[in-house]
């Protein structure tokens, strides 16, 4: 149950002034349905109204606040003409311009002969100073009616800044104080304000500096959010480890067989990762480890060796994959190796039904299956192992904590869990996403990979590029052609891709296909299949080509307007080629007017193929969690945190969270109770629920 003190924070936004049935939908789209969501909807900018020149001094295009006398109203002669109000000060005249004005209202706002403070954007029309639709017209006796520093917010069509500001002001005016959840010593050392003061200052700043990510207020809020995140992770970690694990010590016999069968030896990084995993398995404590490595870095074989060690020690293993394609791919790789080494592997997905499924489950319960590979179907209640000891979760970030716990619940003992991810993220960020796990890194690629020839080409040369692709295709090559991101708008993305598809059709005829996010799964699969089989040679696509797409024959990727993509995303895209034995190339088409910073970003792509280096650079250059493509990278979307400026707080929050859970695992003490508020406030209350479920 949510503590009562938080009720006002979770009131419906419709209770706020200015938000009705119609506006509710817009606000929901933008922020959410609770007052808390509005409180957390931070400004994206500000308008400074403190510049108060005389009329004659005011420069064109600046936001000004002018003290003027209202001289004369000039109502519009007809509907198409604006209503004008002439004002003046001792340096000149100012015309206020209103379209579709209500004369009676304007008469009241601007009585002739009186002084008014007018704020808005200065313009000059035929050399005359004017302001169209001033933002504020206030009586100088009540200067507080106009904020000198006004926050601006991300908006959506149909919702004005005014309405949003008014609603947010109503929230900040009424929320109750909350007991402090941070450590006293930390608060004193950092000089932080309390939570409510900090968040209020973001909506009603005294100075521009208050809005900076380095301000005390923002650092406090960032730490709030990070602590909530880390605390939830720490709770899960504690729960996962609560059941006693056991020491799994194999005799090495199956691993020895595998080593013999494998046509290669493990790289140094693979050996190190495997060593870390084996020592976790042998340890009494349950393993909770994440293995990070680019696509193609050879994680699967390490996972297989780990499972072999488990089977040697007499337990069963599960390998969970997010999609059927990936589960199938794993089966294809693992099955022949497993069988040759004397292990039985099987596949369980949503497709297994009826008798076949029942038979499989029987074998599983009898302990006849050593390795079960599958999708979410693995977690279903009736899937029972004889003795599950090791769980491997591929593309870990695509699963929730819930699924991990559900899998762990299938074992009587604490099981050893190994997560895997192919999305490199910077080290500091690993803590925010996977703060509860230990990590192993595979940076080194298996030997024999040819480097990808990456080039940066001005977009004007697009026609040359297309001709080059045509020549390569004539020689048997296959190419991806990725279309530009157009803002956050799927429809515009699609239009751009369709246009490119049409123009490439002139060149390639039936040899080109199109995939995009709006297509149904089956249609998409069909086109992908055509590309994989070589029926078509060029594949035009929008934004991201799905993970799991593996066409080793594809050796060319063209990315239009590469400057609009994040580096991490470019890296993922480039990873679609260079998978076979052929030499691959990646053409980054960029618009030179995007500037030098854009170019230096792209140069990093040319200089390295190391996903970790690229991820670090991406973070440095763009500094944003949102830009990294949070969904893809598995990073939580944190609204208060600037991953660059607040990097030091990430570690602090992680350590504090582990300390807290160590001291007060049920969050029962005074600070523990306050921390429960924090968890609710930041939607991490699944942690609280987990504690209650025991
Ligand atoms: P990941 O799962 O990390 O994407 P995979 O395990 O699928 O990568 O490995 C990619 C390819 O590299 C596979 O074809 C695999 O057989 C091969 N491979 C893995 N390790 C090595 C190695 N040490 N030497 C040579 N090839 C390797
Ligand atoms: Mg893989």
């Amino acid at each position: 149950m949510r503590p009562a003190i938080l009720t006002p924070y979770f009131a419906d936004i419709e209770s706020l002034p200015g938000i009705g049935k119609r506006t509710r939908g817009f606000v929901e789209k933008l922020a959410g349905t609770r007052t808390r969501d509005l409180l957390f909807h931070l400004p994206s900018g500000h308008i400074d109204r403190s510049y108060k020149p005389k009329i004659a001094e005011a420069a064109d295009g600046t936001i000004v606040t002018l003290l003027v006398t209202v001289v004369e109203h000039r109502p519009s002669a007809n509907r198409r003409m604006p209503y004008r109000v002439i004002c003046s000060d001792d340096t000149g005249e100012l015309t206020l311009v209103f379209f579709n004005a209500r004369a009676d209202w304007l008469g009241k706002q601007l009585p002739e002969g009186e002084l008014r403070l007018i704020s808005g954007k200065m313009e000059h029309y035929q050399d005359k100073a004017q302001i169209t639709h001033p933002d504020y017209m206030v009586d100088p006796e009540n200067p507080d009616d106009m904020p000198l520093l006004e926050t601006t917010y991300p908006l959506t069509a149909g919702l004005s800044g005014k309405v949003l500001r008014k609603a947010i002001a109503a929230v900040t005016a009424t929320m109750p104080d909350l007991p402090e959840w941070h450590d006293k010593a930390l608060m004193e050392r950092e000089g932080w304000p309390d939570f409510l003061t900090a968040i209020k200052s973001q909506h009603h700043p005294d100075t521009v500096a208050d809005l900076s990510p380095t301000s005390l207020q923002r650092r406090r809020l960032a730490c709030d959010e990070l602590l909530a995140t880390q605390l939830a992770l720490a709770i899960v970690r504690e729960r996962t480890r609560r059941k006693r694990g056991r020491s799994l010590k194999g005799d090495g016999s199956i691993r020895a067989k595998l080593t013999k069968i494998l046509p290669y030896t493990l790289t140094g990084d693979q050996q190190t990762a495997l060593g870390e995993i084996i020592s976790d398995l042998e340890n009494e404590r349950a393993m909770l480890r994440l293995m990070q490595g680019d696509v193609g870095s050879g994680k699967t074989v390490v996972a297989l060796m780990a499972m072999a060690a488990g089977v040697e020690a007499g337990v069963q293993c599960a390998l969970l994959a997010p999609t059927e394609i990936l589960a199938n791919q794993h089966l294809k790789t693992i099955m022949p190796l497993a069988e040759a080494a004397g292990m039985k592997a099987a596949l369980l997905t949503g497709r297994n039904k009826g008798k076949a499924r029942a038979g499989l489950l029987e074998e599983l319960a009898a302990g006849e299956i050593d390795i079960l590979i599958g999708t979410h179907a693995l977690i279903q209640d009736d899937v029972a192992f004889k003795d599950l000891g090791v769980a491997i979760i591929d593309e870990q970030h695509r699963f929730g904590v819930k699924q991990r716990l559900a899998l762990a619940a299938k074992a009587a003992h604490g099981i050893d869990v190994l997560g895997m991810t192919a999305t490199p993220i910077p080290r500091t960020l690993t803590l925010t996403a996977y703060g509860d796990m230990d990590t192993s890194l595979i940076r080194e690629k298996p030997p024999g990979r040819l480097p990808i020839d990456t080039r940066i080409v001005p977009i004007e040369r697009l026609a040359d590029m297309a001709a080059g692709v045509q020549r390569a295709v004539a020689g048997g090559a296959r190419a991806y052609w990725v279309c530009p991101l157009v803002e956050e708008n799927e429809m515009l993305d699609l239009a751009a891709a369709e246009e490119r598809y049409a123009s490439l059709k002139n060149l390639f005829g039936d040899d080109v296909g199109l995939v995009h996010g709006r297509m149904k799964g089956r249609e998409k699969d069909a086109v992908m299949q055509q590309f994989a089989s070589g029926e078509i040679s060029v594949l035009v696509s929008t934004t991201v080509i799905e993970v799991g797409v593996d066409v080793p024959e594809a050796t060319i990727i063209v990315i239009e307007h590469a400057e609009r993509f994040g580096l991490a995303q470019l890296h993922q895209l480039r990873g679609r080629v260079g998978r076979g034995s052929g030499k691959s190339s990646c053409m980054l088409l960029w618009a030179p007017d995007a500037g030098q910073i854009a170019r230096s970003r792209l140069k990093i792509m040319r200089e390295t193929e190391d996903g970790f280096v690229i991820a670090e650079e991406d973070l440095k250059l763009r500094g944003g969690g949102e830009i990294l493509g949070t969904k893809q990278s598995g990073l939580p979307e944190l609204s208060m945190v600037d991953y660059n400026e607040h990097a030091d707080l990430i570690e602090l929050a992680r350590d504090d969270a582990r300390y807290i859970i160590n001291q007060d695992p049920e969050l029962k003490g005074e600070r523990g109770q306050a921390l429960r508020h924090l968890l609710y406030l930041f939607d991490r209350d699944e942690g609280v629920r987990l504690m209650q479920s025991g």
Side-chain angles (χ1 to χ4, degrees):
M1 277 286 285
R2 191 172 57 219
I5 190 174
L6 289 173
T7 307
Y9 284 91
F10 288 85
D12 193 282
I13 49 170
E14 222 175 295
S15 63
L16 296 168
I19 300 185
K21 289 241 148 29
R22 203 182 59 83
T23 33
R24 188 179 193 279
F26 298 128
V27 179
E28 176 172 5
K29 194 169 144 211
L30 203 58
T33 59
R34 314 298 187 117
T35 47
R36 188 265 333 252
D37 302 329
L38 274 182
L39 198 61
F40 286 4
H41 187 62
L42 294 188
S44 51
H46 63 271
I47 299 171
D48 189 348
R49 301 191 185 281
S50 60
Y51 177 47
K52 290 181 174 166
K54 293 284 188 182
I55 292 174
E57 301 161 357
D60 216 54
T62 52
I63 300 288
V64 294
T65 300
L66 303 168
L67 181 63
V68 298
T69 307
V70 180
V71 179
E72 182 192 359
H73 281 241
R74 292 188 188 155
S76 32
N78 62 52
R79 267 168 176 275
R80 262 167 298 142
M81 295 298 287
Y83 188 115
R84 293 192 168 83
V85 180
I86 310 299
C87 306
S88 73
D89 67 9
D90 51 12
T91 68
E93 270 196 359
L94 171 74
T95 308
L96 305 181
V97 180
F98 301 90
F99 292 90
N100 303 316
R102 292 208 330 263
D104 52 339
W105 182 78
L106 280 176
K108 264 186 229 142
Q109 296 296 308
L110 300 165
E112 287 180 7
E114 298 218 358
L115 279 174
R116 281 292 177 269
L117 272 171
I118 306 288
S119 188
K121 191 178 191 188
M122 193 68 174
E123 300 163 291
H124 287 84
Y125 180 69
Q126 294 175 343
D127 269 354
K128 284 192 184 150
Q130 68 171 44
I131 294 178
T132 307
H133 292 268
D135 302 327
Y136 288 92
M137 306 183 288
V138 308
D139 187 337
E141 306 266 305
N142 308 318
D144 287 350
D145 290 352
M146 180 179 81
L148 286 183
L149 186 57
E150 186 174 84
T151 46
T152 56
Y153 294 90
L155 290 174
T156 177
L159 187 70
S160 77
K162 245 191 192 135
V163 169
L164 190 65
R165 255 197 303 277
K166 191 167 155 201
I168 289 176
V171 178
T172 53
T174 54
M175 289 304 112
D177 267 318
L178 299 172
E180 183 57 59
W181 45 72
H182 281 303
D183 178 46
K184 270 205 194 74
L186 174 72
M187 289 290 291
E188 270 164 32
R189 192 185 79 208
E190 300 284 334
W192 285 345
D194 64 84
F195 166 74
L196 201 54
T197 306
I199 192 105
K200 277 183 186 173
S201 82
Q202 297 302 294
H203 297 292
H204 313 292
D206 290 328
T207 67
V208 176
D210 289 351
L211 299 174
S212 152
T214 55
S215 69
L216 293 180
Q217 294 95 321
R218 271 297 295 281
R219 282 180 60 82
R220 191 225 141 97
L221 293 170
C223 197
D224 288 337
E225 190 167 30
L226 287 166
L227 184 59
T229 314
Q230 292 300 318
L231 199 54
L233 288 170
I235 291 168
V236 173
R237 180 184 169 88
E238 198 266 341
R239 289 295 124 160
T240 313
R241 294 194 152 185
R242 181 169 282 192
K243 272 197 224 168
R244 269 184 76 88
R246 57 186 157 166
S247 160
L248 297 179
K249 276 201 182 105
D251 60 5
S253 57
I254 304 180
R255 276 171 283 167
K257 278 190 206 145
L258 281 174
T259 307
K260 243 198 222 143
I261 308 163
L262 284 174
Y264 49 77
T265 52
L266 297 188
T267 63
D269 280 357
Q270 283 174 317
Q271 262 160 11
T272 307
L274 184 60
E276 287 162 348
I277 294 163
I278 297 295
S279 99
D280 280 354
L281 292 178
E282 292 184 349
N283 194 304
E284 287 262 342
R285 278 236 311 259
M287 166 167 76
L288 202 50
R289 180 171 291 279
L290 180 73
M291 178 162 52
Q292 288 179 283
D294 263 336
V295 170
S297 61
K299 297 184 295 297
T300 311
V301 67
V302 175
L304 177 62
M305 288 295 236
M307 291 192 282
V311 175
E312 285 166 18
V315 298
Q316 291 170 294
C317 308
L319 170 56
L320 183 61
T323 64
E324 213 165 296
I325 299 183
L326 286 176
N328 269 309
Q329 241 169 53
H330 281 311
L331 184 79
K332 235 168 68 189
T333 319
I334 287 174
M335 180 93 114
L337 291 168
E339 277 181 0
M343 299 185 287
K344 173 145 192 201
L347 181 73
L348 179 66
T349 70
R351 294 206 184 194
N352 299 80
K353 298 225 163 76
K355 260 205 193 130
R357 180 170 186 275
L360 189 71
L361 292 186
E362 234 167 74
E363 283 183 77
L364 188 68
E368 286 156 24
I369 293 172
D370 298 310
I371 296 175
L372 185 64
I373 301 168
T375 55
H376 285 85
L378 283 191
I379 312 172
Q380 285 162 355
D381 281 341
D382 61 342
V383 177
F385 291 78
K386 178 160 184 258
D387 185 7
L388 177 63
V390 179
I392 298 191
I393 305 180
D394 194 18
E395 300 296 333
Q396 150 100 29
H397 60 273
R398 308 213 11 206
F399 293 96
V401 161
K402 237 188 251 148
Q403 279 116 344
R404 196 166 89 201
L405 291 168
L407 197 55
K410 296 196 178 295
H413 303 267
I415 67 171
D416 290 309
V417 176
L418 175 67
M420 304 200 285
T421 174
T423 310
I425 57 178
R427 203 192 65 82
T428 45
L429 303 194
T430 310
L431 286 182
T432 55
Y434 310 104
D436 57 337
M437 306 182 92
D438 305 307
T439 54
S440 294
L441 280 191
I442 303 186
R443 297 186 77 132
E444 190 183 358
K445 291 263 160 70
R449 293 284 156 83
L450 292 170
I452 298 169
D453 180 17
T454 300
R455 298 193 185 181
I456 305 168
V457 183
I459 196 121
E460 291 93 54
R461 292 192 39 217
L462 192 136
D464 296 346
M465 278 307 110
V469 171
Q470 196 179 20
R471 279 191 300 275
V473 163
R478 256 173 262 174
Y480 293 103
W481 191 294
V482 182
C483 287
L485 276 170
V486 187
E487 295 159 9
E488 294 281 278
N489 188 326
E490 211 187 330
M491 289 315 285
L492 290 179
D493 283 1
L494 181 54
E498 275 173 342
E499 202 182 306
R500 180 63 59 229
Y501 173 61
S503 72
L504 289 177
K505 235 178 153 41
N506 292 330
L507 226 50
F508 295 97
D510 286 342
D511 208 15
V512 53
L514 171 68
V515 283
H516 57 75
R518 293 244 150 177
M519 282 164 88
K520 292 214 179 69
R522 239 182 304 127
E523 295 173 80
K524 222 182 337 190
D525 286 351
V527 181
M528 288 305 313
Q529 191 48 46
Q530 287 180 323
F531 185 62
S533 69
E535 209 175 310
I536 56 173
S537 309
V538 181
L539 185 68
V540 179
S541 78
T542 50
T543 54
V544 180
I545 308 166
E546 306 226 340
V547 276
V549 172
D550 195 3
V551 182
E553 294 84 0
T555 52
I556 301 172
I557 184 162
V558 178
I559 304 175
E560 277 188 53
H561 282 293
E563 79 280 359
R564 295 184 192 166
F565 292 85
L567 285 183
Q569 210 176 1
L570 289 176
H571 175 68
Q572 294 286 337
L573 287 171
R574 183 170 60 183
R576 301 297 121 198
V577 297
R579 293 170 160 236
S581 49
K583 175 116 181 90
S584 294
S585 55
C586 169
M587 304 293 167
L588 303 173
L589 301 191
W590 78 303
D593 61 12
Q596 280 314 303
I597 296 179
R599 188 175 160 82
S600 45
R601 287 203 315 116
L602 295 181
K603 262 163 89 180
I604 294 164
M605 292 298 295
R606 205 175 54 194
E607 281 155 17
T608 182
E609 279 184 50
D610 185 331
F612 293 97
V613 173
I614 290 171
E616 296 281 354
E617 291 296 331
D618 199 23
L619 178 69
K620 255 192 252 158
L621 287 167
R622 303 182 52 157
E626 83 228 72
I627 310 151
L628 275 166
T630 35
K631 291 223 174 58
Q632 253 179 297
S633 60
L635 282 177
E637 293 187 45
L638 302 183
S639 48
M640 308 288 167
V641 178
D642 177 316
Y643 282 119
N644 260 335
E645 296 294 348
H646 302 140
D648 61 319
L649 297 175
I650 297 175
E651 218 149 331
L652 186 148
R654 200 268 314 255
D655 293 346
D656 198 20
R658 287 195 180 179
Y659 171 80
I660 292 163
I661 290 306
N662 211 355
Q663 296 293 307
D664 181 11
E666 308 293 329
L667 296 184
K668 288 211 161 110
E670 193 186 335
R671 189 176 176 210
Q673 295 290 341
L675 283 161
R676 285 172 179 240
H677 297 154
L678 174 70
L679 288 172
Y680 278 104
L681 212 48
F682 282 94
D683 268 341
R684 298 284 190 264
D685 42 307
E686 78 270 19
V688 179
R689 248 173 282 126
L690 203 57
M691 275 183 310
Q692 273 145 1
S693 68

